[in-house]
Amino acid sequence: MMNRWHAVKRLLPLLAGMALLLSACGRADLSALNPQGPVAEEQFGLMKLAITIMSFVVIVVFSLSLYVIVKFRRRRGDNTIPVQVEGNHKLEIVWTVIPIILLIILGVPTVQSVFGLSKDYSKDPNAVQVIVTSHQYWWEFEYPQFGIKTAQEMVIPTNAKIAIETKSGDVKHSFWIPALAGKIDSNAGANVNTMYFEAPKPGVYLGKCAELCGPSHALMDFKVKAVDEASFDRWIAALKEPVELPADPAVREAFISKCLSCHAVGDQGGMIYPNLTGIGSRETVGGILVNTDDAKYANEGTVYENLKRWIEDPDQIKPGNGMGKVALTEQELDGIAKYLSELKLDY
């Protein structure tokens, strides 16, 4: 038993060091501690207030404990019973009133923020309405004011209220953009949740599913692109423009029969699965394969390479995603991947 205890004592410093090291790992755009909008900043302020109060309590309690241990420790040869404080009304009042005061300090701004941030902008004509539908394992974004649907990337104008309505197409998910706002559940059925947020400056913000929803839960990412109002208007117009199908007859036939039955490009195809219009200008393929010409990691590659990887075997990228392998010849696979990689929106 003693040998085991000595081994544990040797491992504790190593484990503590690893915990500190790993706590620094992560992404700057996937942290609620790096707020980039007014909603996230208000929520971060509540976190700081709560941490300050808890730190104050910990410091005071530990200081008093240390003082009592040193001041009133038993001396050698002293067998007397210390003076008891049981029934001391003054002390009882003090340690009852102080927690109440701390709870009021924390509770009042928390209640104000909870009610303030729960304001429903879904009927506000000046807000951009977005209906978010979660699926295993992708996100659909519908803009009812503009009559468009897209997937995996939510494009929004800066300095505008973005009114979100969330629902699920299958199991329970949770919509979360750490840098812009807190999370909200998306439920199946008629239960619709609402929230809002703003992005004061242009940028790309990473979103995640924050509810365990299946084997590819950790891969259920999406992006929020904040652009200026003129760029947003151009994006809407570009998304509505007609799209030409592949020029190669064999590739076109394969694309129509095996892709457009579930997906849409322009005004053609179905909307059962993600809209592919403009997929060549998105940040990722499948939400997880990062598009870049300077690949450094296994999940990075050019748009063409990522599309080919995804179409060839989507279950290898996102297990259980529901798409499955599509029977394509090498020529059809190359042609469809090349065609989709060139489907870009200029906005």
Side-chain angles (χ1 to χ4, degrees), residues 27 29 152-153 204 206-208 218-219 221-223 225 279-310 317-318:
R27 300 174 52 123
D29 60 351
Q152 295 301 94
E153 286 192 358
V204 179
L206 181 60
K208 299 282 287 185
L219 306 177
D221 294 2
F222 64 94
K223 295 287 193 301
K225 277 186 177 178
I279 192 172
S281 54
R282 292 179 189 168
E283 299 284 324
T284 61
V285 171
I288 196 67
L289 296 177
V290 180
N291 297 327
T292 176
D293 293 328
D294 184 24
K296 296 178 181 177
Y297 303 98
N299 69 321
E300 295 182 339
T302 64
V303 183
Y304 165 76
E305 291 168 345
N306 288 339
L307 281 164
K308 188 173 180 181
R309 278 181 64 189
W310 176 265
I317 310 300
K318 272 189 180 179

Side-chain angles (χ1 to χ4, degrees), residues 254-255 258-259 311 326-333 336:
F255 184 72
K258 297 176 181 179
C259 299
I311 298 168
V326 181
L328 296 169
T329 66
E330 190 63 30
Q331 177 192 357
E332 292 169 343
L333 176 61
I336 291 173

